[in-house]
Amino acid sequence: MRAALVMALLFLATFVANAASAFTLVIDAGHGGHDAGARGSFSNEKDINLRVALAFGRYVEKNCPDVKVIYTRKTDVFIPLHKRADIANKNKANVFISIHTNALPAGRIARGLETYTMGMRRSNEKLSAAQRENAVITYESDYKQRYEGYDPNSPESAIMFEFIHDKNMAKSVELAKLVQKNVCGTAGRPDKGVKQDVFLVLRETSMPACLIELGFITTPDEERLLNDETSVDNIARGIYNAFAKYKNDNSTGFTVPYEAKNSTEVKIPSIVPKGFNDDDKPEKPSSKPVEKAEPEEKKPQPVTRVVQPVAKAQTDDRQADLPVFKVQILASSTKLPSSSPRFKKRDDVDCYEEGGMYKYTIGASTNYNEINRMRGTLAENFPGAFVVAFRNGEKMNITEAIRMFKNKRR
């Protein structure tokens, strides 16, 4: 009982620390190495999980520059369940998302996506997804010592950890619902709903967390879909949309750039999406959820570079070297026509190109406070909007730009 109280206090301390730290996302690709997970007719769960995890992470790295993305694995290696939770806890993660693939006994067919949060399994359920996933501990050489006394079927164990996770439970369910809504909508997956179960990998995390079962590898058409490049991209984009919405609803302040450290230390396997090179540094675009870009017009559009600040900011010599702040409302992989419904009938939208993406902004002023207030008014129509800065026509670090603005006012 005393040990349980100490563990609860540690979880609470981590929860408080998370609230004051930078936003960190831990993405967990289930299974790996000698643990293949569920097996289909021509593929293994571990590979599907990794491919989707890396594709999802790539979307975050390209579109949420203020988010630190950490992977429990980037290659085909075995990571014990407790190590996956340790990675999230030690990095004070704000969100933990574990990606898995479902399976059924021979002769049974099912389709669709379901997302789990930590909970107590109902006694009348026979073989739960958690029991199958938790069996991974038998691949760990010291599992009898490390997990001694833990029975996922025990009501006492479940009640203790539900108490510990009480503060995160509501947020975990919120995140899981967003995953179901966005992935099923974006990728056309049958919606099998949000569920709760006693997953070991969720049990030891101290932040909002969910486990996604992408589909059923034992159902032939589901297995083909889960190995299709376009389908994987759609699923990853749907998970990203869910994460971006969750982040925007649960974090404060403006989006600031984040540069990944030591990004060249891990080689990415060949199963990752096209264009994914771990030597690339994360881009710095919008945290607006990615949507399918509208088709390009038949007439070629000229590439638009950084749009110069408005006239009053250009003509005043005293302000020539000051940062010009703008509100970035969205980003697209293709040039959008001015009539695009994504602009919400706004006719004051400017565009610049960065990292192969078209970025769209509204407003321009050397007064950061003015632009930040504008961002607030735009939030209803553009919930992912954030402030960016330019100096002499070149995009600059927003933190440095705000510092310059504050120093100038003194």
Side-chain angles (χ1 to χ4, degrees):
M1 189 69 181
R2 188 174 181 179
L5 179 60
V6 171
M7 185 176 292
L9 291 174
L10 287 173
F11 274 95
L12 181 60
T14 305
F15 177 84
V16 173
N18 284 353
S21 62
F23 206 97
T24 300
L25 165 67
V26 171
I27 302 174
D28 171 45
H31 305 278
H34 59 277
D35 169 26
R39 298 177 185 272
S41 62
F42 64 88
S43 62
N44 293 322
E45 176 187 356
K46 64 176 183 177
D47 299 322
I48 294 172
N49 298 342
L50 182 60
R51 190 179 187 191
V52 172
L54 293 175
F56 163 43
R58 183 60 166 171
Y59 270 115
V60 179
E61 290 171 341
K62 278 187 168 292
N63 294 280
C64 292
D66 59 329
V67 175
K68 182 177 182 180
V69 182
I70 297 173
Y71 303 85
T72 58
R73 69 181 181 98
K74 283 187 171 183
T75 56
D76 185 17
V77 295
F78 176 73
I79 307 293
L81 290 181
H82 71 274
K83 288 279 190 181
R84 297 169 190 264
D86 284 349
I87 290 170
N89 294 334
K90 289 178 180 177
N91 285 280
K92 297 181 172 63
N94 297 85
V95 172
F96 177 86
I97 296 179
S98 186
I99 297 175
H100 289 257
T101 305
N102 229 328
L104 288 172
R108 295 185 59 189
I109 295 292
R111 298 175 179 84
L113 178 106
E114 54 191 14
T115 305
Y116 286 85
T117 62
M118 181 66 184
M120 183 168 64
R121 183 171 59 86
R122 294 186 297 274
S123 59
N124 62 346
E125 290 181 341
K126 293 183 178 179
L127 179 64
S128 71
Q131 287 177 307
R132 179 172 54 80
E133 300 295 357
N134 291 346
V136 171
I137 65 174
T138 61
Y139 287 96
E140 302 175 30
S141 58
D142 62 343
Y143 80 93
K144 290 184 179 179
Q145 291 75 36
R146 178 168 295 278
Y147 301 100
E148 182 179 7
Y150 176 71
D151 176 10
N153 300 313
S154 164
E156 291 80 12
S157 294
I159 289 171
M160 180 180 71
F161 286 104
E162 283 191 19
F163 170 77
I164 293 172
H165 286 266
D166 183 60
K167 287 186 175 293
N168 294 323
M169 184 63 71
K171 292 299 180 184
S172 296
V173 172
E174 176 187 344
L175 174 61
K177 287 181 177 178
L178 287 170
V179 169
Q180 285 297 127
K181 177 181 178 181
N182 284 274
V183 177
C184 292
T186 302
R189 303 292 292 122
D191 188 347
K192 293 182 68 65
V194 173
K195 303 177 182 179
Q196 292 186 329
D197 215 331
V198 189
F199 287 91
L200 283 170
V201 74
L202 298 182
R203 160 206 164 191
E204 296 190 352
T205 54
S206 58
M207 69 289 302
C210 68
L211 185 147
I212 305 170
E213 293 281 4
L214 301 170
F216 292 82
I217 195 173
T218 49
T219 300
D221 57 301
E222 287 265 294
E223 182 181 14
R224 289 192 296 271
L225 180 145
L226 294 171
N227 284 276
D228 176 74
E229 182 177 341
T230 300
S231 297
V232 167
D233 180 71
N234 289 337
I235 291 171
R237 182 157 43 83
I239 301 173
Y240 168 74
N241 287 346
F243 167 75
K245 180 66 167 62
Y246 176 88
K247 173 187 171 295
N248 291 337
D249 291 344
N250 292 279
S251 64
T252 58
F254 51 85
T255 302
V256 295
Y258 164 73
E259 295 289 341
K261 296 180 180 179
N262 301 324
S263 61
T264 59
E265 292 183 356
V266 180
K267 291 184 178 180
I268 300 298
S270 60
I271 62 172
V272 303
K274 289 182 178 179
F276 192 152
N277 183 347
D278 205 34
D279 293 335
D280 294 339
K281 291 183 178 180
E283 302 292 345
K284 304 177 182 177
S286 165
S287 58
K288 163 76 175 177
V290 174
E291 302 172 9
K292 271 196 176 292
E294 297 169 16
E296 296 186 57
E297 296 182 324
K298 292 182 179 179
K299 294 182 180 180
Q301 293 284 346
V303 174
T304 306
R305 297 295 172 182
V306 174
V307 175
Q308 294 298 324
V310 293
K312 68 174 184 178
Q314 293 178 353
T315 56
D316 189 342
D317 292 338
R318 293 172 299 176
Q319 298 183 359
D321 291 331
L322 290 181
V324 174
F325 299 96
K326 301 184 178 186
V327 181
Q328 184 164 308
I329 58 171
L330 58 87
S332 174
S333 59
T334 59
K335 186 73 178 293
L336 301 177
S338 59
S339 60
S340 171
R342 295 178 65 185
F343 295 143
K344 312 293 184 182
K345 298 183 179 180
R346 301 278 310 205
D347 58 3
D348 55 348
V349 179
D350 287 331
C351 175
Y352 71 97
E353 186 192 12
E354 181 186 50
M357 300 282 287
Y358 294 93
K359 320 289 181 66
Y360 295 91
T361 64
I362 293 177
S365 174
T366 56
N367 187 324
Y368 167 73
N369 293 331
E370 176 184 333
I371 291 297
N372 197 36
R373 284 193 295 270
M374 177 182 287
R375 182 193 64 81
T377 64
L378 292 169
E380 182 176 355
N381 287 327
F382 304 99
F386 64 100
V387 178
V388 292
F390 301 88
R391 188 181 184 192
N392 298 324
E394 297 293 332
K395 191 175 180 184
M396 67 176 297
N397 183 290
I398 186 65
T399 305
E400 175 65 15
I402 294 173
R403 185 190 63 79
M404 292 178 62
F405 166 71
K406 291 181 177 179
N407 289 341
K408 184 66 177 179
R409 296 189 53 162
R410 291 173 183 169

